[in-house]
Amino acid sequence: MPIFEYRGEAANLKVLAREIEADQHLAGKCSFTLTPLQQNRRDSLRHAHWAEISISVAAGLATNTLYDALKALVERARDRGPVDEVTPRPEDDGQDANAPEGANG
């Protein structure tokens, strides 16, 4: 199951999640988890509420149409504000058997 992770301003990622739910190509084929990030650092991000979104595409449904639709929505989110792709963490290896609560889809 392909998993895409992005980090950005929480409100922007919430809009992205609503757009995924409303998209005719992605609705019912993707699930996502939005996780607020703790802000322990003193940097340029300290004034925003940041979060990560993990988007999973159902196995066997990963088609070019789905990827293109997801890419277009992520680009729209980037037009609204900073959205960075998060590389998978080594301990995850792209497989999340213990997904946090709040997964939608």
Side-chain angles (χ1 to χ4, degrees):
M1 174 182 306
I3 298 174
F4 305 93
E5 293 185 271
Y6 300 95
R7 180 177 295 143
E9 202 270 326
N12 190 10
L13 295 183
K14 286 178 185 178
V15 172
L16 175 60
R18 286 194 301 266
E19 290 175 339
I20 290 170
E21 289 178 329
D23 186 272
Q24 64 179 350
H25 299 293
L26 300 174
K29 297 174 182 82
C30 291
S31 61
F32 55 87
T33 303
L34 190 64
T35 308
L37 295 177
Q38 297 295 326
Q39 300 203 295
N40 299 328
R41 304 181 304 196
R42 285 281 201 214
D43 58 17
S44 62
L45 305 180
R46 70 181 180 270
H47 297 295
H49 296 278
W50 289 80
E52 286 184 355
I53 189 169
S54 296
I55 304 165
S56 303
V57 178
L61 294 175
T63 65
N64 287 340
T65 303
L66 288 174
Y67 286 125
D68 291 345
L70 183 58
K71 182 179 176 182
L73 292 179
V74 169
E75 288 304 315
R76 273 188 12 199
R78 285 184 174 136
D79 288 343
R80 291 189 297 263
V83 174
D84 298 315
E85 190 163 1
V86 178
T87 56
R89 295 183 239 354
E91 65 271 13
D92 289 345
D93 289 331
Q95 298 178 10
D96 190 9
N98 299 315
E101 288 186 45
N104 296 317

